[in-house]
Amino acid sequence: MPHVPAASHTQTQVIREQPPTGRRTGKPVWYAPAAALGDAAGAAVPVYLAFALADDARGAAYAMVAALAWLLVRGARDRYAERRLGERDNIGPALQDWLMLVGLLAVVRAATGDESPFLLALTALLPCAPASAAAHSLIHRHLITRRRGGRAVRRALVIGEADAVDGLVSHLAKRTEHEFVVVGVCPIGEADPQALAPIAARLGRQAPPRMSADSAPVLEAARRLGVDVVLVVPGPYMAGTRLRRLSWALHGEECPLVVVPGLTEVAGRRVDVSSVAGLTMLNVAPPLRRGLAALLKSVTDRLGAALLIALLSPVFAVVALAVRLDSPGPVVHRQTRIGRGGVPFTMAKFRTMVADAERLRHQLAGTNEQDGRMFKIRRDPRITRVGRVLRRYSLDELPQLFNVVQGHMSLVGPRPPLPDEVAGYDEVELRRLAVKPGLTGLWQVSGRSDLSWDETIALDLRYVDNWSPSVDLGVLVRTVRAVIAGTGAY
């Protein structure tokens, strides 16, 4: 290793003294067969039924071709690899694969001179993507459950400067859906031993001893702890040639090395790795704001909202009548909210509170149960009897469909804030206003009012920075479940 200042040092803290009793990194062997079976059934069954209903005797043959083609496309795109199975929501990849499937079968149809009805075949293929996404989502949920129980994880050793190591260990400890369980740390650099106290306290061990500044203590700790991967947070004392030589030493032991650049909440599709002049570069694409995807979102929002208004018109009438009969006051409550770019607009919702609720809010300021800008009380005395039911099933939000049609809001986006909330925003919180507020969003499907302010902001910023059409589709699907469950609605 290259020379480093004499004051610098590498330190190792053993978190688990006992030797590993066996690898727990492997995912269940049935994941791949189950995913393939789900994909095949999702393609074959709809195709067979469609052609059977059309009295076409070739239904079984078409079903087999569709299933094989779908498996070929999914396999070619590495959807059954162990490292991918169960790792994330699959609606986006499934839609991409479906487009390839349609193209492949179109080529086969033209090459073989098949004369089956095109629209019938296309309609029969529509369930492929959602069926596959559902099957893979079930695997994802099973994997998350296993990881919360400490299974299907990779034992990780973390290397970096004390503050960076503490931040990474803390971040990993807050979430349970990932594959890493930290079993040891190797802080490096000139940090005062006291700086290691937070790490020791977090992991329940005493501060680690000082060791020499080369790869030897890392390799010794990796062997002793039986780690599956080494996580490195690069910095002044771990970069360039030193990091390269550490990778040689680890790879000589067939131990994988993962470099953690420090970026958070950036979707994988926005990240691309390239090599320029021998340097490895991480390219981060800007969030989607313009182009075809943004146009598609705008058109889908307005057409979808208009269609929902037409379909739900009987519900509008029943709710309006219930609000009118329950308590005096207007049926629809209008309130100024802040939209994209800080532009105010008038948002509509069915009234769920007494008529003078705004005046009473100041009297209840001391009872706010939220820890941030929002004002929420679990048993708000201003809410009417009908209002509680409407809030429980989010029916009070239905008039906001008109805001979506007008272009003030989107079907999916952050919660529309009040002007006095925005007045207290800092630079980070203001980024919520980079997109249109939504009728539903990650906040809606992740717990709503049960979430803390920091959790709400984190979800909103994740959406703002990583929006895509597939993200919107996933949120809309999850919204149905969240509305039925009513979790956090008050």
Side-chain angles (χ1 to χ4, degrees), residues 300-322:
T300 302
D301 281 340
R302 300 196 182 203
L303 291 180
L307 179 61
L308 286 173
I309 290 172
L311 293 175
L312 297 175
S313 56
V315 178
F316 276 84
V318 171
V319 173
L321 180 61

Side-chain angles (χ1 to χ4, degrees), residues 47-98:
V47 170
Y48 175 78
L49 292 177
F51 281 91
L53 292 174
D55 292 327
D56 193 321
R58 298 169 294 178
Y62 285 138
M64 183 175 295
V65 171
L68 291 176
W70 189 226
L71 291 175
L72 175 64
V73 170
R74 300 283 282 175
R77 293 177 64 82
D78 218 16
R79 305 305 186 197
Y80 305 123
E82 182 186 19
R83 70 180 186 279
R84 290 195 176 191
L85 283 170
E87 292 298 341
R88 63 174 183 176
D89 185 11
N90 285 272
I91 186 64
L95 289 174
Q96 297 171 12
D97 295 349
W98 184 83

Side-chain angles (χ1 to χ4, degrees), residues 281-301:
M281 297 187 177
L282 197 65
N283 307 303
V284 182
L288 292 174
R289 292 289 187 269
R290 299 179 180 84
L292 182 60
L295 177 62
L296 176 63
K297 178 179 176 68
S298 179
V299 172
T300 302
D301 281 340

Side-chain angles (χ1 to χ4, degrees), residues 223-237:
R223 294 190 195 101
R224 181 154 46 97
L225 296 171
V227 303
D228 303 299
V229 63
V230 172
L231 307 181
V232 176
V233 185
Y237 295 100

Side-chain angles (χ1 to χ4, degrees), residues 326-397:
D326 181 55
S327 63
V331 170
V332 176
H333 175 65
R334 291 177 173 83
Q335 192 176 47
T336 299
R337 296 289 180 120
I338 303 301
R340 181 177 181 179
V343 178
F345 70 97
T346 301
M347 188 188 76
K349 61 189 302 184
F350 284 120
R351 182 174 58 82
T352 59
M353 292 185 174
V354 295
D356 58 347
E358 291 296 330
R359 179 181 61 83
L360 295 175
R361 174 181 172 178
H362 299 289
Q363 301 176 14
L364 298 170
T367 62
N368 186 18
E369 297 178 9
Q370 277 286 343
D371 58 353
R373 316 292 184 194
M374 292 186 295
F375 180 82
K376 286 285 184 180
I377 306 174
R378 188 173 297 274
R379 298 195 177 278
D380 196 322
R382 302 172 299 165
I383 300 177
T384 63
R385 292 173 301 175
V386 169
R388 293 195 182 280
V389 176
L390 298 183
R391 288 186 173 218
R392 173 69 170 74
Y393 296 104
S394 298
L395 295 174
D396 58 318
E397 312 286 356

